[in-house]
Amino acid sequence: MQRSINTTDSRSREGFTMIELLVVMTIIALLFGAVLFAMGRSTENARVAGTRTLLKQIDAAIQDRLEAFQRHSFRSEASAIRAKYNSIVSPTSNLDGADLTQLETLVRKVRYREMLPQRKEDLFGLDNTDNSGTDDDAQYWKWVRTKDSNPSSTELLYAALTRGPSYGGAPLQLDDIPSQYIVDSDGDGLLEFVDGWGQPLRFYNAPTGLLRPSGYATADISILNQQNARVFVPGLPDVLLDPSMPSDVSADDYASQLNRDPLDPLGDLQSMMSGGGAIAAWVTARFRVDDMGVWDYSAPNTYYTPLVVSAGSDEQLGLKEPSGTGAERLGVVESPPDAIYDNLTNRQRGGL
């Protein structure tokens, strides 16, 4: 007896149906998408981690210099300046009446800018003039200006940490920094720091604009400005004891650390300004104080810490550029501040 064979069923099993093929293709697409997403997350996490490590390395070098700088005495230089620059403002003006302690504070502020510059003007010395007859420019500015007459803040920071005065602080350990984070993106011969996304870091040596965007020492520090500042500096002084009842910080709240310049805790510069005459004019020239009382080099009597900033994954900084003028260059947050929340800084420790 012969067994019959159903040839129709046999042929139907020779391949997949269209529905089965679509299901398989959908599954493959989903798996491929999941793999790409995981790879993207892994790459993004690596960029964040690499940028944080770079910022930590830069911060270690900055803090080491700051500690050495704070121990350095500028008293003898202040005394020599008082004797030398008697006619710096006008032939009939002199600094004989300048308090030596206050004058030392002024010198310290100028030398701080030379040690950690964010604009070329920070390197112009006590006379605040580029390459003047007194030859008071910072020594490494003479080298920098042969490469680029208008270097960026991150180019200046790199030059400062490798060529500038250290006051006995430890040098930046370049061998520990991967080469992709130190580049010459514009081909001018000046190296600069870039983040994990290949974007240049920004450096603010006295970002008082985070707390006082106007640049006025007499302006109160608003709640919003405190909150924005803590995105960049989570360890900002004067952490609110009762977060449910935040308040502005009044300019005349002299107990608040937010109203204290780390290099001028006694307000010597303001005292020199209030005295009027030749001494006030000399301070005005050193710090470019305009007729409205806005300071080009940090708002006085305001807390700050050197800030190195990466714009993060969205590559949107959310801050006025450090190359600006007046209060604009002091770390002023753009409005609305949405872009700042993924920024990475040297003062953060881990995640936000």
Side-chain angles (χ1 to χ4, degrees), residues 81 84-95 126-128 134 278 281-283 285-286:
I81 287 169
K84 179 180 179 180
Y85 289 99
N86 278 343
S87 60
I88 192 71
V89 181
S90 71
T92 59
S93 303
N94 64 70
L95 297 176
L126 280 160
D127 62 357
N128 216 3
T134 59
W282 207 68
V283 175
R286 305 286 76 70

Side-chain angles (χ1 to χ4, degrees), residues 17-31:
T17 67
M18 183 61 70
I19 293 176
E20 289 171 330
L21 286 172
L22 290 174
V23 170
V24 171
M25 291 173 65
T26 301
I27 293 172
I28 291 173
L30 290 173
L31 291 174

Side-chain angles (χ1 to χ4, degrees), residues 18-342:
M18 183 61 70
I19 293 176
E20 289 171 330
L21 286 172
L22 290 174
V23 170
V24 171
M25 291 173 65
T26 301
I27 293 172
I28 291 173
L30 290 173
L31 291 174
F32 187 67
V35 169
L36 288 179
F37 177 77
M39 290 177 62
R41 287 292 299 271
S42 177
T43 301
E44 192 70 5
N45 289 340
R47 287 172 173 166
V48 171
T51 301
R52 287 197 184 281
T53 299
L54 171 65
L55 290 168
K56 182 178 179 180
Q57 291 168 315
I58 296 174
D59 185 65
I62 290 175
Q63 297 305 319
D64 197 82
R65 290 190 179 209
L66 276 176
E67 291 176 10
F69 181 79
Q70 292 281 29
R71 294 191 296 267
H72 186 84
S73 173
F74 291 92
R75 179 56 64 99
S76 60
E77 185 177 359
S79 180
I81 287 169
R82 188 167 64 176
K84 179 180 179 180
Y85 289 99
N86 278 343
S87 60
I88 192 71
V89 181
S90 71
T92 59
S93 303
N94 64 70
L95 297 176
D96 288 341
D99 179 273
L100 196 58
T101 299
Q102 294 178 342
L103 193 56
E104 183 181 8
T105 298
L106 184 147
V107 174
R108 183 178 296 277
K109 293 279 288 185
V110 172
R111 299 308 181 209
Y112 168 80
R113 298 201 318 254
E114 292 178 349
M115 181 180 70
L116 295 172
Q118 75 178 65
R119 291 191 309 172
K120 64 181 182 181
E121 288 86 352
D122 291 328
L123 300 175
F124 290 175
L126 280 160
D127 62 357
N128 216 3
T129 304
D130 186 12
N131 208 28
S132 71
T134 59
D135 201 27
D136 187 45
D137 297 352
Q139 289 299 309
Y140 68 108
W141 168 236
K142 297 175 183 179
W143 176 83
V144 170
R145 73 198 307 272
T146 65
K147 307 290 184 180
D148 190 341
S149 61
N150 194 32
S152 68
S153 65
T154 185
E155 288 176 328
L156 284 172
L157 179 61
Y158 182 86
L161 294 179
T162 54
R163 289 175 172 267
S166 65
Y167 296 93
L172 178 67
Q173 298 299 314
L174 293 174
D175 292 342
D176 296 336
I177 300 178
S179 59
Q180 73 258 31
Y181 296 117
I182 301 177
V183 301
D184 178 13
S185 61
D186 55 4
D188 63 356
L190 293 177
L191 294 173
E192 61 186 333
F193 296 109
V194 298
D195 60 20
W197 297 270
Q199 299 300 309
L201 300 179
R202 273 74 156 198
F203 176 61
Y204 300 84
N205 56 18
T208 54
L210 288 174
L211 296 172
R212 288 194 166 98
S214 67
Y216 293 104
T218 55
D220 293 345
I221 300 174
S222 71
I223 298 168
L224 177 61
N225 290 335
Q226 293 177 64
Q227 293 171 338
N228 288 340
R230 287 195 172 92
V231 172
F232 299 93
V233 188
L236 200 70
D238 290 6
V239 174
L240 299 173
L241 298 179
D242 185 355
S244 66
M245 298 181 64
S247 62
D248 293 352
V249 175
S250 173
D252 58 6
D253 180 2
Y254 303 116
S256 172
Q257 292 185 58
L258 296 182
N259 286 327
R260 198 170 303 150
D261 183 330
L263 295 182
D264 184 14
L266 300 179
D268 287 334
L269 295 185
Q270 281 288 83
S271 296
M272 296 174 78
M273 288 289 291
S274 62
I279 295 172
W282 207 68
V283 175
T284 298
R286 305 286 76 70
F287 296 94
R288 301 190 181 194
V289 186
D290 68 18
D291 293 338
M292 301 298 293
V294 176
W295 291 55
D296 198 28
Y297 297 106
S298 79
N301 301 341
T302 306
Y303 174 83
Y304 62 85
T305 185
L307 199 63
V308 189
V309 185
S310 160
S313 59
D314 66 359
E315 300 180 8
Q316 301 294 314
L317 185 64
L319 289 172
K320 300 285 188 179
E321 292 288 347
S323 57
T325 58
E328 197 174 83
R329 71 181 285 269
L330 304 176
V332 175
V333 176
E334 300 274 11
S335 181
D338 302 352
I340 69 174
Y341 295 111
D342 73 331

